Every structure is written in structure tokens, then in C-alpha cells.
Amino acid sequence: MAVGGAIRGWIDAVVWDLGRQLRWSFLPPLMVYFAYGFTGLTAIVGTFYVKDYLDLSAAYLAGLAFWAGLPWALKMPLGHLVDLIWRWKWLLVWLGAGLLALSVGIMYLVITRPVPMEAVMPLEAWFVTSFLLAPCGVVLQDAVADAMSVEAVPKVDADGRPIPEDEERAMHVTMQTLGRFALISGTVVVAAVNIWMFRGIEALDAGAKAQIYATIYLAALGIPVLSVSGVALAGVQKFAARRRLIRAGLAPAEAAALLDRPVEATEANPWYFIGGAGFAGLSLAIGLGEVPYGQEIVFAGSLAIVIVLMRQLIAVLPPAQARTLIGTAIIIFAFRATPGPGNGQIWFEIDVLGFDQRFLSVLSLITSGLTLVGMVVLRPMMAQRSIVYIVVLLTIAAGLLSLPNIGLYYGIQNITAALTGGVVDARFIAILDTAIESPLGQVAMIPMLAWIARNAPADLKATFFAVMASFTNLALSAGSLGTKYLNQVYIVTRKVTDPVTGAVTVGEDYSQLGWLLLTAAGIGVALPLMVVALVQRTRLRSTD
């Protein structure tokens, strides 16, 4: 009985308590976050389309991922703009929705009308255009969603009484957890849709496969509709809340003051827009001018701009909080800046291990589903443990969990299958590894997001979210550069066949993939641990 009571108590504290903290006001930002996760609907289609039809190398794709990550650095001026146009921030969600619709529409036409599209410019150019438009649309919506997630946590109850500080703090942690939860839920739905769409695809010819790809892109047009619906719901909720407070006896002006932040609360800081304009100008000049080492120059310039703006931002914090924020940001940066193996690994899984579209969708579903479970189960740890503890734990776990993928390249599945009568084959190992690794990916950012929501000044919430997100997202750009460098050292190619002539234009070569996987795993463990050790020996020591 004691054990059963302990289990019921644990479930109540971990699972049901999360439900008790859920508020109706949380739904609008969660809808935008869900739409963000749903943008992954076309990821597997894009992977196979590039592999089968476009002559783009793994190093080129890693470089393209670098450029696609840079719009996230523009969250700096966007976040400040959201603070300045607080009552009109929904316009940015509509603009982002338009860019997402354009990105998806381009790929739909590329697949269904390739000849007229190629008459305008090469299909590779259309793919790159669509690939770069999508993050521009997402970052606009995400900047608003971050601000909405702060606004969604009520400061007063239904009768206009202030909510206690401890309860408000708990709701901020819950809101940020649910934000990641909604995002991952979007990927769960994506994986389920892909599994259903890709059923029996291995028996289809190229034309039938292309039709499925086109249908998935057409379904993706529902993503921008979902995000703008979240903004519309937020407006309805605010109107209803104002009516409720007025019925409780408050004057209309008092009700509005409790629900709306004063327009004059945020003073415009031109440096955020100067920095953003400088970043955009530098990126365009370098990118369009095809300057040698352009990506490196843009990264260095972007990082310098973000650091200058971070210095402006943390000046409003008490010194101790400022030092903690800097130290924490550096540690998160190192954790997210580790390079990966790039597209070569998934090409190997497709060509050599025989992983098809449906099985990759199954892996995606397992990843997303168990991530949701892991975020709920690990929520107490995120509330009780320091960010440094979480980063070290995740780094070591990631290193251990890279071993099965390395083993698959070197043929461990041949040994395990022989010992288990064919049960523990390549797919079994991939599923097991995915199941264990899944909950860890989204955990590191939640405590930092909750810290910002709790400690940032009330009139600069969106700006704080944006600048810190820009800094940590630049880490992903650094990781993309690292991935590009590794793929330039270890060359991995897959077979590319001309769809018209059937001639092989690029030969298959996975001979260097093993060293690529080993090097990426080694850097992924060593870099974060070294940075943690260094930061924790300085005044920037993170204890939060």
C-alpha cells in the first residue's frame, strides 16, 4: 500500500499537477507553438526530394542550414518591435503566415509543375528559396508567441485580486513547459500523418510518390491558418476577460489596466534596430556577393552584434542576476553549438540500412511522443536542479546515445541479429536508441526560458526572450558551420541519378562516414563539458 501510495503521489505531483496549472489563457500561444512544430510536416518529404532529384552535396546542405538559421538572430529587433507595438503584435503573425504559405506553395508547384517552374529558374534555386522563406515566417510568429506566453500567465484572478508570487512563478514554468509540449505535439501529429501518408510507398513508382509528396505540401498550408487562429482566440479571450472584470465591479479603465500593458511602458531603444539592420545588411551583402568565407564572416559579425545588444539589455538587471544570465547563456551556447554528422548519416540509413519514408516517420513519432512523456516526467528535475546540472547530464547522455548509431555504421546489427534470431536488427537498434534519446532534446532550454519569464523586466519581456534566443540560436548556426567543416574533411556522397536520362551523376561513397560520426560525437561531449568547467570557475558561475 505504501508503494502504491507513493506512486499515486508521484503521478499526482508530476502529471496531474501540470493539468491543474493549465489555464484557458495559455491556449493561444500554445496554438502558435503547435503550428511551429507542425512545420516539420514536410521535413521527410524534403529529405527524399533532395536525395532523389537535386544535386546538392552534404556540405552544401549544411551551409544552407547555416543561412536558414540566421533569421533567428533577427529575433532581437523583432522582440523589441513586439514590445513597442504590443497591441498590434498580431500583424507579425499574419506576415509570418504569409511567408510560410509562400514557402509551402513553391515546393508544391515544384513537385506538381516542375517544367514551368524550371523555365523560370533551376529547381535547386526554387528549393533554396522555399527553404529560406520558411524560417523567416516561423521566426516572426515565434517572437510573438514568446510575448504571448508571458501575457498568458494571469496576474489577477477572475475577481481582479492579485495572484500570489509563488503561484505566478509556478505558472511561468508550466507555461514554458507547455510551450515546448505544444511544439513537440506538433511533431507528433506530423509523424502520425507521415506514417499514414507513406503506407505502401515502397511499392509505388516515381510519379505516385511525387503525388504523395505534393499532397503533404498541400496539407502543410494548414499551418499558417492554425497560427493566425491562435492570435484571433487571444483577442476573444482578452475581450471576455475585460467583460468579466467589469461585471465583478471594476471600472472599464481599471479592467483594461489589469489586462493591457500601458502603451508607453516600453521606450524604444534604437540600438536593437540598428543592430538588426546591420545584421541584415551584412548577411545580404556577403550572401549575394558570394564573398569567400561569407558564412564565417556573417557568423562573427552576427555574434558581435548580439553580444553588444545583450550588454545593453542586461544593464537593467541587478549585477548578480546579470552575471548568472551571462554564464548560463554561455553554457547553453556551447551545448547547442556542437556539430552533427549532417545528411550523410540519414543517406546511409536510407541507402544501406533500407530505412524508407514510413520507417523514418515511425522514428519521428517515437521521438516526439517520448519527448512529451519525458518533459512531463523530468519537469520536477527542471524545477529543482540547476541548468548546469541539466546540461552536463544531457551532454553525457548524448555521448552515450551516439554509440548505437556509430555501431550501425560498423555493422553491429549483423552481430546482434545473429545472436537473437534476427530480432535485434538495424531497425530494432534504431528504435531503441530513439526511444531512449527522445526525451532529452528539448529539456535544456525550458529552465532558461522560465528564468527569463520570471526575471526579465515587465516592459521588456519580448525583448529579453528575443535577444537571448538570438544568442542561443546563433549556437545552432555555429553547429551548422561545424557540421559543414566536418563534411568537408570527411566526404560522404549518395548516388544521384538524372531523372530524365537515368545516368548516375554522383556516385555513392560512405567510406568516411564512420570517422565523421566518431568526430562529431567526441566534440559533442568534450565542448560542453569544457565550457561548463571554465564558466563555473569564474564570477559568471551559474547557480540558477
Side-chain angles (χ1 to χ4, degrees), residues 14 25 49 67 76 83 89 163 182 218-219 221 273 285 302 315 340 408 464 466 488 491 514:
V14 172
S25 61
Y49 182 80
W67 291 112
M76 298 179 299
D83 280 323
K89 55 185 179 293
I163 292 176
L218 192 61
L221 288 173
F273 299 110
S302 302
L408 285 175
F464 257 84
Q488 289 174 340
I491 308 298

Side-chain angles (χ1 to χ4, degrees), residues 396-441:
I396 295 172
L400 293 174
L401 292 172
S402 67
L403 297 178
N405 285 324
I406 296 172
L408 285 175
Y409 173 78
Y410 287 105
I412 190 175
Q413 67 274 15
N414 299 326
I415 300 174
T416 56
L419 293 175
T420 60
V423 175
V424 185
D425 59 2
R427 295 195 174 200
F428 184 96
I429 293 173
I431 289 174
L432 182 63
D433 179 59
T434 298
I436 299 173
E437 183 181 11
S438 298
L440 305 180

Side-chain angles (χ1 to χ4, degrees), residues 110-135:
V110 163
I111 293 173
T112 59
R113 303 287 188 274
V115 175
M117 292 293 282
E118 194 166 23
V120 178
M121 62 181 185
L123 297 183
E124 288 83 358
W126 282 117
F127 172 79
V128 170
T129 301
S130 173
F131 194 83
L132 296 180
L133 279 175

